[in-house]
Amino acid sequence: MSRVQSVDSVALLPAYLAAGTAVLALLVDLVLARRTATIVAAATGALATLVAAVAVGAGAERRTFCVGADCSYVFGGRAALVAGLVALLALGVLALSGPLLRDGVTPVGEFCFLLACSMTGGVVLGAAGDLITLIVAVEALTLPLYILVGLRRGSLASAEAAVTFFVVSVVATTLTLLGAALLYAVTGSLHLERLGAILADRSDLLDLPLTTVAVTLVLAGLAFKVAAVPFHAWAPATYDGAPLPVAAYLSTASKLGGVVALLAVVQHALPLSVAGPVLALVAALTMTVGNLVALRQRRTVRLLAWSSVAQAGYILAPLGALALADVDARSTAYAAALAYAVFFVLLELAAFAGVVALRPAGADGGRLDDLRGAARRHPWVGAGLAFALIGLAGLPPGLAGLFAKVTVVRSLLGGDAAWLALLVALNAVIGLAYYLRFAALLYTPTDSAPAGSAPAGDAPVGAIRPARVVVAALAVATAIAVIVGFAPQLVLDLAGS
């Protein structure tokens, strides 16, 4: 058998463009030293990556870095969906970062370079065909975020958040690498599809304690990335300490990357008899703990962070039924998990865009009371934020969120996991309380606000003039969420391909 690996540059085109964006942003900042030119270069590269992902994904599935039938890079419809969405999220975060980069506290060149490096990891992640490529892509997505979280000069909260994120991520990566090494020791392979075939054909391997430990370690390491309970404690503190645009990226692209990695190993590599029950328990704990703690939050970003934890539980729920499901139901579960993640990140980006628009440039998310009556002073921005919150709650007219939850419940019922479907429904009702409370607060008259609720130094909501680029990002994210809400089957088809 030939050991010469084939290289398909067309399949790698989105990754080339994403990596080239990082180099271009750094060179433009070095040569021109102009903020606007650097941001435009990074935005142009992200847009080119998005276009390339759609163009390459529109054709037949492409495989490269292959040895025999085993390939390390497989670019099909699902990979195109992930790559395009990560590029879109990077573009959106660049728009949200306009006011932050304009105040001079955050270095523009480093910010754009690191964001493009993280985007490159996300683009490669969707096409990863072996454990090494998968783990390297996850780390390429995550490593730049350590610096982005703490990049704001003179901010103790950002520094603390960066250290917390770094320590937790190092532990998560260690667990994942150890699990991957043990899987290799058991099977002698690292390619995902080959791993799955070996474990399916040799049932004796499933009885080995080493296999159970390996699967558990891989799942635990990747569960850190999606902030699933009990590996979630880092998320609220990190999100709240990070600059708002970086928190938006953490809550969307970083979480999407963790979901894609989990989906890849569960679908192709890990034995469902071991992974299914573990994921079912993790999903149940994650959605319940996230929703219950979110009810008590009074800070805006912490509420969004805890709700993001709960949303991770909904995303993982379909995977928890895999051990009980037949082949058709499993395909539906995989598609439901990824489709929910797509719907979630679009609405989450819109929610963060609304918060950024209504807060002073460079400020943190503040308290919920700081946004009291904001929709009365800025009707369109407030309406966009309220729409995102209602969509995350799963209510119309936020059809994307509604279809997401219906898709998850339907996949669970198809997989004979009615108890988990009931838990999803109950948690969705709990989630209504804080999402609707937040949305209603936007329209509450300010004369009912408690005295002294605004932190010192913050401008009143009515005095804030939302940046045009942030409003544009909110409008685009809302428009895409509306379009996707009316065409959910398109996302499901791409997620299942």
Side-chain angles (χ1 to χ4, degrees), residues 17 19 33 52 103 108 165 168 207 333 383 414 441 459 479 481:
L17 289 171
D103 65 9
V108 177
F165 187 32
V168 170
D207 297 328
L441 192 69

Side-chain angles (χ1 to χ4, degrees), residues 272 321-334 411 413-416:
L272 298 181
L322 292 179
L324 305 173
D326 57 28
V327 176
D328 292 337
R330 287 173 187 170
S331 299
T332 303
Y334 297 136
S411 70
L413 293 177
D416 296 327

Side-chain angles (χ1 to χ4, degrees), residues 451-481:
S453 61
D458 275 4
V461 173
I464 297 168
R465 186 176 182 180
R468 292 181 180 178
V469 67
V470 177
V471 175
L474 173 60
V476 171
T478 304
I480 294 175

Side-chain angles (χ1 to χ4, degrees), residues 96 98-100 102-103 152 240 242-245 298-301 304 351-372 374-375 378 381-382 385 438 442 453-468 470-471 474:
L96 299 188
L100 177 69
R102 196 163 46 240
D103 65 9
R152 188 168 50 185
D240 201 21
L244 275 176
R298 293 295 178 268
R299 289 189 60 82
T300 305
V301 173
L304 291 175
F352 269 98
V355 174
V356 172
L358 295 172
R359 295 288 293 156
D364 60 14
R367 296 176 58 84
L368 292 174
D369 280 336
D370 298 334
L371 298 179
R372 186 184 297 269
H378 306 288
V381 174
L385 176 55
F438 189 178
L442 298 173
S453 61
D458 275 4
V461 173
I464 297 168
R465 186 176 182 180
R468 292 181 180 178
V470 177
V471 175
L474 173 60

Side-chain angles (χ1 to χ4, degrees), residues 119-218:
M119 178 180 68
T120 304
V123 169
V124 173
L125 178 58
D130 64 55
L131 281 175
I132 298 301
T133 305
L134 184 81
I135 294 172
V136 170
V138 169
E139 291 310 303
L141 172 64
T142 306
L143 279 172
L145 298 179
Y146 306 154
I147 307 173
L148 282 175
V149 168
L151 198 59
R152 188 168 50 185
R153 298 190 186 101
S155 174
L156 180 60
S158 287
E160 291 175 347
V163 171
T164 300
F165 187 32
F166 172 75
V167 171
V168 170
S169 289
V170 167
V171 173
T173 303
T174 303
L175 292 177
T176 308
L177 285 171
L178 180 58
L182 295 180
L183 277 176
Y184 180 74
V186 171
T187 63
S189 179
L190 287 172
H191 288 90
L192 299 178
E193 294 180 356
R194 177 69 64 183
L195 272 171
I198 292 173
L199 292 174
D201 292 340
R202 294 191 55 187
S203 58
D204 58 303
L205 295 179
L206 299 181
D207 297 328
L208 294 176
L210 190 61
T211 304
T212 303
V213 172
V215 172
T216 303
L217 287 174
V218 170

Side-chain angles (χ1 to χ4, degrees), residues 231-316:
F231 313 107
H232 66 289
W234 63 272
T238 301
Y239 289 12
D240 201 21
L244 275 176
V246 178
Y249 192 78
L250 275 170
S251 187
T252 54
S254 179
K255 190 175 290 289
L256 177 66
V259 169
V260 170
L262 266 174
L263 188 61
V265 297
V266 169
Q267 181 174 4
H268 298 297
L270 302 186
L272 298 181
S273 58
V274 180
V278 173
L279 289 172
L281 177 61
V282 169
L285 288 173
T286 301
M287 68 179 83
T288 304
V289 171
N291 278 319
L292 291 178
V293 179
L295 287 172
R296 303 178 55 192
Q297 299 307 306
R298 293 295 178 268
R299 289 189 60 82
T300 305
V301 173
R302 282 188 177 266
L303 184 144
L304 291 175
W306 280 106
S307 74
S308 176
V309 170
Q311 298 286 351
Y314 301 139
I315 295 171
L316 296 178

